[in-house]
Amino acid sequence: MKNLEIAACAAFGVESVTKRELAKLGIADCPAVDGRLIFRGDMADVIDCNINLRTADRVLIKAAEFRAETFDDLFDGVYSVNWRDFASADQKIAVAVKSVKSKLSALGAVRGVAKKAVAEKLKKSYGLTGNLDESGSVMKIEVSLKNDVAALWLDTSGAGLHKRGYRALVGAAPLRETLAAAVIMLSVWNPDRVFADLFCGSGTLPIEAAMIGLNMAPCMNRTFDMCGWKFFDRRVFDDAVEKARAAVTPRELRVYGFDIDESAVSLARKHAERCGVEKHIHFQRQDFRDFSSKQRYGVIVSNPPYGERLMNQREVRGLYRDLGEKFFSLKDWSCGIITSYYAFESAFGKKADKNRKFFNSNIECRFFQYLGAKPPEKHQ
């Protein structure tokens, strides 16, 4: 399938990072529309994006777009698509719905009408009667309504792309892998510099850093919903996976993860082993107040407690005060902290050089960056 309209979905605040990733894949013309980077390409591009994008949530293909002010409009528009081009006779059809400023705002009713239209068209196309079998693989169709215009998108990813496959369990306040990769890529860290997470929890930030340092594609070891679709080309997929594996670049990394909770550190080690990067990360049980380093130009990237779930406001303010004192004692280091705490800069002891807004599990956060001295050229 060629000349497809494709969308790489990115969380709020992450779009610019995802756009840079797409450029590295050779996709330059991709304007951002409502958290989606839109571009044209073929199934090889869809496959490459699913395997290689670190910061995208999922990859979609547009099947149709039409005006839909009534349920009859919706049924006719969905029915007009030649679903046989996309789906087999036994496809399991799942429909998700979004509606913004549209007359069709009853999501359950929209879902029912859309699924009925797809089913009726498939039955006619395949000469079937009765109900569809739906014993095959899942095809998730998103009906996105905005200003009475319906767009139909096929979700090629299935499970979100943050599900790399290495994180079997999570700690008390998990950070999504896609957001972890985004903040690392926004930081000043590169593989020649020390990376330290002083609140590593289940290990997501150090593991994502190691994957970036090794040029390891984040999703080369998982499958996607598209793998069970009628028009899926297994040969193209296998070639893309093989190319991604060949691109992994072994190198020496100085990546460290610390946490005061021994069970969290143990879980982080297990996740690193599942990912295949355990040899590149040193995990250790340690209070951040005890951290020290003689190395220069290191970068701290951490997701400490916010005071939302694990600590009260007084405790979290004291934690940030101590964290600031620790950071300012490190010569030439840089630091990036994710937090929702409203008075972080005051508690930390200095206004950040940069900050950017994100959402972590629906909690509004900011990524505060403090930039140390630039290292010699060989470290940059």
Side-chain angles (χ1 to χ4, degrees):
M1 302 187 73
K2 300 183 182 297
N3 197 29
L4 301 167
E5 185 170 345
I6 304 165
C9 303
F12 175 85
V14 175
E15 300 96 332
S16 63
V17 189
T18 308
K19 190 166 188 173
R20 291 204 301 268
E21 288 196 89
L22 287 168
K24 288 184 178 180
L25 293 177
I27 300 166
D29 185 12
C30 49
V33 181
D34 297 329
R36 294 176 177 181
L37 285 302
I38 309 295
F39 59 96
R40 303 203 76 88
D42 57 21
M43 276 305 296
D45 295 312
V46 172
I47 290 168
D48 281 344
C49 288
N50 273 292
I51 291 171
N52 293 288
L53 291 180
R54 301 182 189 280
T55 62
D57 293 324
R58 57 189 65 250
V59 181
L60 312 177
I61 297 172
K62 182 180 279 188
E65 184 173 286
F66 52 87
R67 191 156 190 85
E69 298 184 23
T70 68
F71 285 111
D72 285 342
D73 292 340
L74 178 66
F75 184 93
D76 292 343
V78 176
Y79 188 85
S80 69
V81 177
N82 187 8
W83 291 105
R84 183 169 180 158
D85 287 346
F86 302 108
S88 56
D90 65 348
Q91 202 84 58
K92 183 176 181 179
I93 303 298
V95 178
V97 180
K98 297 179 180 179
S99 181
V100 177
K101 297 180 181 179
S102 293
K103 297 180 181 66
L104 299 180
S105 58
L107 304 187
V110 171
R111 184 181 301 111
V113 169
K115 181 163 183 176
K116 181 178 180 181
V118 175
E120 291 300 316
K121 187 58 174 280
L122 284 175
K123 286 194 291 184
K124 180 178 180 181
S125 298
Y126 285 104
L128 303 173
T129 58
N131 295 326
L132 290 176
D133 180 17
E134 291 198 89
S135 62
S137 59
V138 174
M139 176 175 284
K140 182 179 176 182
I141 302 169
E142 178 192 287
V143 180
S144 179
L145 287 155
K146 185 176 181 180
N147 297 323
D148 296 322
V149 174
L152 308 182
W153 295 91
L154 308 183
D155 183 348
T156 68
S157 305
L161 296 180
H162 68 283
K163 294 188 176 181
R164 324 289 209 206
Y166 66 77
R167 198 164 77 171
L169 299 168
V170 296
L175 180 69
R176 274 200 171 191
E177 294 87 334
T178 44
L179 182 54
V183 296
I184 293 167
M185 294 167 76
L186 284 168
S187 77
V188 296
W189 180 75
N190 68 56
D192 291 326
R193 301 175 73 166
V194 175
F195 179 96
D197 180 3
L198 306 187
F199 304 84
C200 72
S202 58
T204 304
L205 279 162
I207 292 170
E208 291 295 321
M211 293 175 74
I212 291 169
L214 298 170
N215 196 35
M216 181 182 292
C219 294
M220 65 182 182
N221 294 319
R222 57 161 278 184
T223 60
F224 310 92
D225 274 8
M226 62 179 174
C227 295
W229 294 357
K230 176 181 178 180
F231 60 90
F232 179 72
D233 191 328
R234 171 59 63 176
R235 180 184 56 79
V236 174
F237 180 79
D238 290 344
D239 287 347
V241 171
E242 185 60 32
K243 182 179 178 182
R245 289 178 177 161
V248 176
T249 307
R251 62 180 300 164
E252 293 295 324
L253 295 174
R254 293 173 292 168
V255 178
Y256 301 89
F258 304 95
D259 202 283
I260 197 171
D261 185 348
E262 181 61 49
S263 63
V265 173
S266 176
L267 184 57
R269 290 191 182 108
K270 290 178 182 177
H271 288 165
E273 184 177 0
R274 285 170 61 94
C275 185
V277 297
E278 71 277 9
K279 295 179 181 179
H280 301 278
I281 307 174
H282 173 76
F283 287 110
Q284 180 178 326
R285 181 190 177 279
Q286 180 177 272
D287 190 306
F288 74 92
R289 298 173 184 87
D290 298 324
F291 176 75
S292 64
S293 177
K294 295 180 180 179
Q295 300 182 83
R296 298 175 64 184
Y297 311 113
V299 181
I300 294 169
V301 181
S302 287
N303 177 43
Y306 304 162
E308 298 274 353
R309 302 170 180 170
L310 304 180
M311 304 176 74
N312 62 41
Q313 295 293 298
R314 181 181 60 82
E315 290 171 331
V316 82
R317 184 173 180 84
L319 182 149
Y320 290 145
R321 180 194 64 235
D322 294 347
L323 180 58
E325 291 177 359
K326 173 56 60 178
F327 167 65
F328 294 122
S329 73
L330 298 168
K331 187 174 182 180
D332 298 324
W333 278 56
S334 297
C335 179
I337 300 295
I338 307 167
T339 182
S340 67
Y341 184 57
Y342 69 97
F344 171 78
E345 290 170 304
S346 172
F348 196 74
K350 185 181 178 182
K351 183 177 176 60
D353 296 303
K354 295 181 179 181
N355 81 76
R356 180 181 293 230
K357 184 164 70 174
F358 294 105
F359 285 88
N360 180 23
S361 299
N362 297 319
I363 299 173
E364 183 178 318
C365 301
R366 288 191 177 270
F367 182 49
F368 294 96
Q369 291 195 68
Y370 295 84
L371 307 180
K374 291 184 178 181
E377 187 173 342
K378 67 177 182 179
H379 294 283
Q380 293 182 9

